[in-house]
Amino acid sequence: MIQLNDGNRMPRIGLGLYEVDASSWSVRLIRIAVNEGYRLFDTAQLYENEHETGYALKASRIPRDQFFITTKLYTTANGRSQVLHSFHQSLHRLMVDYVDLYLIHAPRGGHVLEAYDTLLELRSRGRIRSVGVSNFDVQHLESIRRTGRPLPAVNQIELHPFCQQRDIVKYCRRFGINLMAYSPLARGAALDDPFVLQLARKYRRTPAQILIRWSLQNNFIPIPKTNHPARLRENLRVFDFEISRYDMQQLTQYGYETQLSSTND
Ligand code: NAP
C-alpha cells in the first residue's frame, strides 16, 4: 500500500478499465482480476463501464473496504451542480456509497477550481475518501496551491520510460502528491522496443513486467489495462524481482532520448 498525503492508503498497482467494453465480458474480466488479487480499479464516467465495475465487485462478495475504486469526473464545464449530479450518477452506477478516489479527468472546460471545491465538499461529507486530479500540469496544480486549497492526493498522468513528464513529476514529489501512471505500457507500443526486450531477456520477465516494475520503482502507481486473463496475472506478478539501480538508470535515460511513434513526449 502507498500512503497518500491525506492519511489514506491505496494499493501500489491497479487495473485500468479504459476500453474494457461495457458488456458481460467486462464483468467477467473484473471478476477474474479480483480472483487474481487486484483491488484497485480505475474507471471513469467516460469509460461507460462503472456499472459493470460495481456489479462485478459486488458479486465478488469481498467487503467494500477491501477495494479501492477510482473514478473520474468527465467535465468541469458546468460547475458545482453538474459535479454533484455526475458524482451521484457515478455512485449509483458503481453501487457504492463512497468512492475511494475521485479525479477531475482533465483541467479542461473551465470552472476547475469550483469543481475542485465541490470534490473537497464531497470529501468532507464522506462520499469521497481522497480527492485527486488527472492530466494536471504544474500551472494547474499551482492554481490550487497558490489559493491555499489543500493539494490533491493524486495526479494521474501518462508515465512510462518514453513519457517521463519530468517537470510535473518533480513538482508532485516536492509537494507530496502521489502519481498514478496511466498507459504504463505506452498503450502496448513499448512492448516491442529493443531495449525493453533486452531487459526482459536479462531478467527473464516479459516486457510488460519490466515496464510495470520501472513504474513501481519510481514510486508511481501503475494501472495497466488488459482484456486477457493471462495477462492480468502476468501484470500483477511484479513483486518478486527488482531492476538494478544501473538498469533503471539506463532504461530511464534510453526512454528519455527515444521517441515512440504513438506517444507525444
Ligand atoms: P496501457 O495499460 O499502457 O496498455 C494497454 C495495452 O497493452 C493494450 O493494448 C493491452 O492489450 C496491452 N497489454 C496489456 N498487458 C499486456 C501484456 N502483459 N502483454 C502484452 N500486451 C499487454 O494503456 P492504457 O489502457 O491507455 O492505460 C491504462 C489505464 O490508464 C486505462 O485503462 C485507464 O484506466 C487509464 N488511463 C487514464 C487516462 C486519463 O486521462 N486519466 C488516459 C489513458 C488511460 P490487451 O488488452 O489486448 O491485453
Side-chain angles (χ1 to χ4, degrees), residues 30-49:
I30 294 166
R31 290 186 70 172
I32 297 169
V34 170
N35 288 335
E36 291 294 344
Y38 285 84
R39 292 296 178 266
L40 159 59
F41 294 87
D42 182 78
T43 182
Q45 189 182 354
L46 179 73
Y47 303 168
E48 295 187 345
N49 54 28

Side-chain angles (χ1 to χ4, degrees), residues 16-18 42 47 72 105 134-135 156 182-188 191 206 208 223-228 231 234-235:
L17 294 170
Y18 181 52
D42 182 78
Y47 303 168
K72 311 182 193 83
H105 207 139
S134 179
N135 297 301
Q156 182 183 118
Y182 77 63
S183 305
L185 312 176
R187 300 182 178 86
L191 295 168
T206 66
I223 43 169
K225 169 258 166 187
T226 179
N227 262 314
H228 290 84
R231 291 177 178 170
E234 174 187 329
N235 293 351

Side-chain angles (χ1 to χ4, degrees), residues 81-147:
S81 59
Q82 178 73 40
V83 175
L84 292 175
H85 181 69
S86 294
F87 176 74
H88 284 105
Q89 280 188 326
S90 286
L91 271 192
H92 179 72
R93 284 191 291 263
L94 285 161
M95 294 184 269
V96 292
D97 51 19
Y98 69 90
V99 165
D100 296 275
L101 175 65
Y102 195 51
L103 308 177
I104 296 178
H105 207 139
R108 287 189 291 266
H111 304 283
V112 174
L113 287 180
E114 184 181 327
Y116 189 75
D117 287 341
T118 312
L119 264 54
L120 294 173
E121 184 188 325
L122 286 164
R123 187 183 68 178
S124 69
R125 287 173 21 207
R127 311 314 292 274
I128 295 173
R129 291 277 158 90
S130 292
V131 165
V133 296
S134 179
N135 297 301
F136 272 44
D137 215 330
V138 170
Q139 63 188 33
H140 307 115
L141 291 169
E142 268 296 282
S143 68
I144 294 175
R145 199 184 68 85
R146 265 202 322 267
T147 49

Side-chain angles (χ1 to χ4, degrees), residues 49 136-137 151 164 170 185 202 206 209 215 241:
N49 54 28
F136 272 44
D137 215 330
L151 284 167
Q164 296 183 22
K170 194 169 158 203
L185 312 176
K202 175 171 176 180
T206 66
Q209 289 170 327
S215 201
F241 81 108

Side-chain angles (χ1 to χ4, degrees), residues 182-230:
Y182 77 63
S183 305
L185 312 176
R187 300 182 178 86
L191 295 168
D192 53 7
D193 174 84
F195 192 63
V196 174
L197 284 167
Q198 187 187 318
L199 287 178
R201 276 193 297 275
K202 175 171 176 180
Y203 287 89
R204 295 171 191 260
R205 295 293 169 148
T206 66
Q209 289 170 327
I210 295 294
L211 291 162
I212 294 166
R213 200 58 222 180
W214 181 88
S215 201
L216 291 169
Q217 288 183 220
N218 274 299
N219 272 327
F220 304 149
I221 301 158
I223 43 169
K225 169 258 166 187
T226 179
N227 262 314
H228 290 84

